[in-house]
Amino acid sequence: MSTPFKENYNSSSPFSGTGSAITILAIESSCDETSAAVCRDGKILSNIIAGQKVHEQYGGVVPELASRAHIQNIIPVVTSAMQTAGCELQTVDCIAFTQSPGLIGSLLVGAQFAKSLALSLNKPLIAVHHMQAHVLANLIDDPRPAFPFLCLTVSGGHTQIVKCDSPYQLTVIGETMDDAAGEAFDKSAKLLGLPYPGGPLIDTYASKGNASRFSFPEPQIPGLDFSFSGLKTAILYFIRDNEQKDSNFLRNNINDICASIQKRSVSILLNNLKRAAEETGITEICVAGGVSANSGLRTSLTEMGMRNGWKTYIPAFQYCTDNAAMIAITGYYKFLNEEFDELDVKISARSEW
Ligand code: KG4
Ligand code: ZN
């Protein structure tokens, strides 16, 4: 990619910036979290995340309300990220932002803010793919995985197994054919009458339940792709049949039901990951995305890793769900590779990579 600001840039090389250190200000606004982070030489100095409670009453994210909340949040969030990092805008070398995928109105707010800042500060701009950023969240803290590694990326919109040969060479080798893992958690929770987003609630109830009490089916999908629609249908019929027999069934068994659903969801994810590790011979194994905050997944991955001789890596909680630190670290690697973007770079609701 070109380096649009080079001719106007403060110094002859973007690497010299305002000193030897490289400081990136990153903005994430793809869904319902407004986040800003500052990273210096690959070290995260701040990561501020503002959630949006307004969606709870609707049982899901309302795109127009998300955009409006981003507009309200973005200046305080960026200001707070700069203050926490102890950083002045003039010392920033580059502005990174989430370009895709996501809700188009939400992406627009972050992108326009980032572009305006880059233009006014005369700094380079870096557009970041949200899913690449989830994967590279594993490079934020020590211990970091060695290349090549596999990453199971499990979020509200995606479920992928990604082979990573370098920060720049990422190949999707398996993905969901229907629902994403987070979506499956959220839809299961909805069937159980739990509020949105239900994934973390299933996790909480599951921690008090017996995961072997109820059995849900595991899909037989060839290759490395995933499917969660069969599990969702099985849960629907399971609840309907048992509630017909006993109207208090859900209320009296919620912990065991959540634990059993979580156990099956995790086994669908990890059995495929195991197949991917066997097929590729790769033993450096990471997880990423909102669902990697799930305690059942974290524990089972660690145990599976010990059984199979893998080295496993799980990002800290704040880098699992949507956050700007992962955009900052991806921006840092793209900066090192001089992958800058023009001011007219377009955002996209969906995009392959
Ligand atoms: O990565 P993320 O924050 O946003 C997207 O890019 O989609 O992922 C959000 C998803 C939601 O579906 C949420 O329910 C799920 O991650 N999630 C969890 C947990 N924490 C977040 N699912 C299961 N257990 C959790 N502890
Ligand atoms: Zn995400």
Side-chain angles (χ1 to χ4, degrees), residues 27-51:
I27 293 163
E28 150 66 30
S29 69
S30 63
C31 190
D32 60 343
E33 264 106 16
T34 319
S35 181
V38 176
C39 129
R40 183 166 296 142
D41 287 341
K43 186 173 184 297
I44 301 300
L45 301 183
S46 64
N47 180 42
I48 306 297
I49 306 170

Side-chain angles (χ1 to χ4, degrees), residues 307-319:
R307 279 199 304 277
N308 290 280
W310 303 343
K311 276 194 186 162
T312 54
Y313 304 86
I314 307 176
F317 277 106
Q318 69 267 29
Y319 305 139

Side-chain angles (χ1 to χ4, degrees), residues 24-209:
I24 312 266
L25 168 62
I27 293 163
E28 150 66 30
S29 69
S30 63
C31 190
D32 60 343
E33 264 106 16
T34 319
S35 181
V38 176
C39 129
R40 183 166 296 142
D41 287 341
K43 186 173 184 297
I44 301 300
L45 301 183
S46 64
N47 180 42
I48 306 297
I49 306 170
Q52 301 180 358
K53 291 240 170 268
V54 64
H55 307 288
E56 273 173 16
Q57 58 187 303
Y58 300 102
V61 177
V62 182
E64 177 58 25
L65 295 180
S67 315
R68 292 181 199 190
H70 283 306
I71 291 170
Q72 283 175 338
N73 291 342
I74 195 142
I75 292 176
V77 165
V78 170
T79 306
S80 174
M82 296 301 293
Q83 281 171 353
T84 306
C87 193
E88 298 290 329
L89 273 178
Q90 288 308 327
T91 65
V92 166
D93 292 289
C94 173
I95 316 290
F97 71 99
T98 306
Q99 175 195 19
S100 67
L103 299 171
I104 202 76
S106 294
L107 289 169
L108 192 61
V109 176
Q112 288 309 110
F113 191 87
K115 288 178 182 185
S116 309
L117 214 47
L119 183 65
S120 61
L121 296 171
N122 191 30
K123 302 288 179 182
L125 187 68
I126 291 181
V128 171
H129 195 290
H130 183 87
M131 299 311 295
Q132 179 183 10
H134 269 306
V135 174
L136 298 191
N138 281 284
L139 302 181
I140 291 177
D141 284 333
D142 283 330
R144 294 172 173 81
F147 293 101
F149 65 81
L150 290 181
C151 184
L152 172 70
T153 314
V154 274
S155 73
H158 292 78
T159 300
Q160 300 177 328
I161 300 176
V162 184
K163 180 170 174 281
C164 308
D165 292 293
S166 80
Y168 315 102
Q169 274 178 287
L170 282 68
T171 314
V172 178
I173 59 172
E175 60 192 329
T176 185
M177 296 158 56
D178 38 61
D179 289 346
E183 202 177 357
F185 266 103
D186 294 340
K187 285 182 178 172
S188 304
K190 199 168 184 178
L191 292 172
L192 302 178
L194 302 175
Y196 177 87
L201 288 172
I202 290 194
D203 196 356
T204 305
Y205 286 117
S207 66
K208 295 173 268 181

Side-chain angles (χ1 to χ4, degrees), residues 273-286:
L273 184 60
K274 183 162 182 266
R275 222 170 302 156
E278 284 164 0
E279 280 184 20
T280 58
I282 294 173
T283 55
E284 297 277 311
I285 310 285
C286 305

Side-chain angles (χ1 to χ4, degrees), residues 187-330:
K187 285 182 178 172
S188 304
K190 199 168 184 178
L191 292 172
L192 302 178
L194 302 175
Y196 177 87
L201 288 172
I202 290 194
D203 196 356
T204 305
Y205 286 117
S207 66
K208 295 173 268 181
N210 172 5
S212 305
R213 170 101 184 275
F214 304 110
S215 173
F216 293 101
E218 174 133 12
Q220 304 300 317
I221 310 286
L224 299 176
D225 287 338
F226 302 88
S227 171
F228 287 96
S229 62
L231 174 62
K232 191 177 60 188
T233 310
I235 294 169
L236 178 73
Y237 291 137
F238 167 81
I239 295 168
R240 190 197 61 185
D241 294 348
N242 283 290
E243 280 277 300
Q244 272 171 4
K245 287 183 225 153
D246 169 11
S247 60
N248 288 321
F249 175 76
L250 259 186
R251 194 168 342 130
N252 291 340
N253 298 285
I254 190 75
N255 294 341
D256 293 348
I257 297 171
C258 286
S260 304
I261 291 174
Q262 180 167 294
K263 180 183 172 193
R264 175 55 72 215
S265 305
V266 168
S267 84
I268 292 173
L269 294 169
L270 291 188
N271 286 342
N272 248 16
L273 184 60
K274 183 162 182 266
R275 222 170 302 156
E278 284 164 0
E279 280 184 20
T280 58
I282 294 173
T283 55
E284 297 277 311
I285 310 285
C286 305
V287 278
V291 181
S292 57
N294 182 270
S295 48
L297 179 61
R298 294 167 88 92
T299 308
S300 299
L301 175 71
T302 307
E303 287 168 2
M304 187 177 259
M306 289 195 299
R307 279 199 304 277
N308 290 280
W310 303 343
K311 276 194 186 162
T312 54
Y313 304 86
I314 307 176
F317 277 106
Q318 69 267 29
Y319 305 139
C320 288
T321 46
D322 287 349
N323 67 88
M326 67 185 194
I327 306 300
I329 196 80
T330 308

